[in-house]
């Protein structure tokens, strides 16, 4: 496996060291898992399964504007006086 040099902020390095001790794995394994998760879209802020699901299901509700419907339901709980 090729080695890679990575510069980290001291706080991030300390967190990685602590997390590695807690999980009883080498720090390098945590970095590999993070990179793998990032590549697979499991890290927030990356292209993810959620984005894909939202794209596939967008517009499926035929009753119109879902937000307007939701707000009308909430207005029933606390009608304006």
């Amino acid at each position: 496996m090729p080695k890679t040099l990575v510069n980290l902020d001291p706080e991030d390095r300390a967190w990685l060291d602590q997390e590695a001790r807690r999980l009883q794995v080498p720090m390098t394994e945590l970095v590999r898992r993070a990179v793998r998760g990032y590549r697979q879209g499991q890290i927030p802020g990356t292209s993810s399964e959620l984005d894909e699901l939202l794209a596939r299901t967008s517009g499926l509700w035929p009753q119109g504007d879902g937000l307007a419907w939701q707000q009308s339901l909430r207005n029933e709980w606390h009608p304006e006086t």
Side-chain angles (χ1 to χ4, degrees):
M1 188 174 303
K3 291 185 178 186
T4 303
L5 179 65
V6 178
N7 296 319
L8 298 172
D9 292 328
E11 299 85 18
D12 293 334
R13 173 60 194 256
W15 180 86
L16 275 173
D17 287 338
Q18 181 181 7
E19 193 68 5
R21 282 191 302 276
R22 185 181 74 80
L23 295 174
Q24 299 179 345
V25 297
M27 183 191 64
T28 54
E29 175 60 21
L30 291 181
V31 173
R32 283 192 290 271
R33 289 176 186 179
V35 170
R36 195 173 305 119
Y38 187 83
R39 288 184 61 217
Q40 294 173 351
Q42 298 170 353
I43 307 295
T46 65
S47 178
S48 68
E49 295 175 9
L50 176 60
D51 294 332
E52 187 179 317
L53 178 64
L54 290 173
R56 285 196 328 250
T57 59
S58 177
L60 287 181
W61 195 54
Q63 279 78 12
D65 184 352
L67 180 57
W69 175 76
Q70 182 184 41
Q71 287 171 336
S72 71
L73 285 179
R74 289 182 178 176
N75 287 339
E76 291 176 4
W77 302 341
H78 302 286
E80 294 181 26
T81 55

